[in-house]
Amino acid sequence: MKKADDGIPQTVAPIEEIQLYVRDASGNRTFVTLRELIEAKNGANSTRADLHISRSRDGELFITSRQDGTIRMLVPDSGGSAPSSSR
């Protein structure tokens, strides 16, 4: 993805990594892939995981997938141990 279509390599947009995890009742993290989340939601294996990224008016980021119809909000890692849903 480019910031501008000017043919200059320095204008290529930076790539950011998204790490997803779920927490158990004790607050322990288990890192997962989007495909694993989709499979858990659907209760069946999936051969693909279509990822769409959206932004709210407030700047919050969301990922959606057509395979399970779920909208997931991305939140920064708080570093805490409070139980939470997928991040």
Side-chain angles (χ1 to χ4, degrees):
M1 180 168 28
K2 293 184 177 183
K3 293 181 186 178
D5 188 14
D6 58 9
I8 302 171
Q10 290 79 6
T11 61
V12 174
I15 296 174
E16 299 288 335
E17 180 179 6
I18 298 173
Q19 294 182 338
L20 304 174
Y21 62 86
V22 293
R23 290 189 187 266
D24 63 19
S26 300
N28 299 313
R29 286 187 224 175
T30 300
F31 287 92
V32 295
T33 65
L34 179 62
R35 192 169 117 192
E36 290 170 333
L37 290 173
I38 290 168
E39 289 174 347
K41 174 88 178 198
N42 290 342
N45 289 339
S46 179
T47 58
R48 59 188 290 168
D50 294 334
L51 169 68
H52 302 272
I53 299 176
S54 305
R55 181 172 286 192
S56 73
R57 290 181 185 170
D58 298 332
E60 297 170 320
L61 292 176
F62 296 90
I63 57 173
T64 58
S65 62
R66 186 176 59 217
Q67 285 79 10
D68 68 356
T70 301
I71 300 170
R72 295 172 172 92
M73 183 170 59
L74 297 177
V75 295
D77 183 22
S78 64
S81 61
S84 178
S85 60
S86 64
R87 302 211 178 221

